[in-house]
Amino acid sequence: MALLPTFTTLGAGPPVLMLHDADGGHLTFAPQVESLASAGYRAVAWNMPGYGLSAPIEPYTFKGLAQSCLALVHALQCGPVTLVGHGLGAMVALEVALRQPSRVHRLVLCAGGPGLDAQAARDWVQPRLLALQRVDAGESMEMLAQTLVPRFIGSGALPEGARLAGHALAQVYPATYRRALQLLPLFDRDAAAFLRLGMPTLLLGGAMDPCTPPAALEALAQVLPDARHISLAHVGHWPQLEDPEGFDAALQAFLAEQRRLH
């Protein structure tokens, strides 16, 4: 039996499981673990297979990552969960919802998801792969983070949030980072599949995100049966770290609304 991915958790109440991007582990949701727990939720942030102390998986596919996530949901014994996915984590969240919709109460897709055209995908992945070549030549992941993070944050980014994004990226294993980046353009679910997803969905991104621009999230919101899109001004690819107050306000308003309806 495969080892469960590692995770951090805090609080009690309706479960909210946060799935990080290729650029970092559970630390990229550190502010939300605390704020959600304080608001009466059971906040869980995983380390995707190959990140932190989570064992890698073979083959490294969206199917495999979704199965790892579902194994964690089952192990938490907490019923249907709200999945909050950032970047690559948003794609994993969608894959989980498509495979086991009964296990997903709500979706929050943050700065990620399908809908990128080929050029946008290259703009997202190629700078990171090129930076990894310097790591292969002896540069540290910390130096890579210092180069990459400033390119993808917005003009209004909280300095502490930008530093945490860089710290989280510096902890990623180079081999895992490469595999995650290579996986990003391979998400192949089409619009017809998303029509089956009836759970309430929030698409939350930064207005200055060059990786997943607002137009891409808005287009996805138009496809999903029950979705809305919120764009945070002056924010780039890490909205939950760059503008934690704005991100948390939008997230918790969505969760509270759905909580009242149930």
Side-chain angles (χ1 to χ4, degrees):
M1 182 176 176
L3 294 174
L4 281 175
T6 59
F7 60 93
T8 184
T9 183
L10 193 65
V16 180
L17 174 55
M18 290 164 276
L19 313 177
H20 61 80
D21 194 7
D23 292 322
H26 75 275
L27 286 176
T28 56
F29 278 113
Q32 285 67 46
V33 169
E34 292 196 13
S35 61
L36 286 170
S38 298
Y41 296 92
R42 183 183 184 187
V44 183
W46 83 336
N47 282 310
M48 192 160 55
Y51 286 74
L53 296 178
S54 293
I57 57 171
E58 291 292 347
Y60 199 84
T61 61
F62 282 107
K63 177 182 177 181
L65 294 175
Q67 289 173 335
S68 293
C69 181
L70 285 164
L72 178 56
V73 171
H74 179 74
L76 291 171
Q77 298 181 331
C78 55
V81 300
T82 295
L83 288 181
V84 181
H86 175 222
L88 175 61
M91 299 179 188
V92 175
L94 281 166
E95 186 69 22
V96 170
L98 287 166
R99 289 178 175 275
Q100 293 285 339
S102 64
R103 307 307 297 269
V104 181
H105 186 204
R106 293 163 295 203
L107 280 173
V108 180
L109 307 177
C110 164
L116 295 177
D117 59 31
Q119 184 60 49
R122 284 193 294 270
D123 291 344
W124 187 352
V125 173
Q126 283 306 118
R128 290 158 163 83
L129 287 175
L130 288 173
L132 262 178
Q133 292 180 7
R134 298 198 299 273
V135 174
D136 294 338
E139 189 174 289
S140 68
M141 285 295 290
E142 184 176 1
M143 293 173 67
L144 177 147
Q146 291 171 357
T147 300
L148 280 181
V149 170
R151 295 181 58 178
F152 295 103
I153 61 171
S155 60
L158 187 72
E160 296 91 334
R163 283 196 292 271
L164 183 51
H167 176 69
L169 177 52
Q171 309 304 310
V172 179
Y173 304 114
T176 297
Y177 193 42
R178 177 174 284 104
R179 297 186 74 182
L181 292 174
Q182 291 169 342
L183 185 62
L184 270 166
L186 303 181
F187 190 78
D188 60 356
R189 296 288 193 167
D190 59 22
F194 299 133
L195 294 175
R196 306 199 308 266
L197 297 180
M199 67 282 292
T201 302
L202 173 65
L203 292 101
L204 187 52
M208 299 179 68
D209 183 1
C211 303
T212 311
L217 291 180
E218 182 60 36
L220 182 56
Q222 297 301 316
V223 173
L224 292 165
D226 183 5
R228 71 190 72 171
H229 169 225
I230 296 176
S231 184
L232 299 176
H234 312 297
V235 168
H237 187 59
W238 288 272
Q240 77 276 28
L241 296 178
E242 296 178 49
D243 182 12
E245 287 190 5
F247 182 91
D248 289 354
L251 172 61
Q252 292 191 26
F254 172 71
L255 296 178
E257 175 187 325
Q258 298 301 321
R259 207 169 177 175
R260 288 194 300 270
L261 293 175
H262 292 81

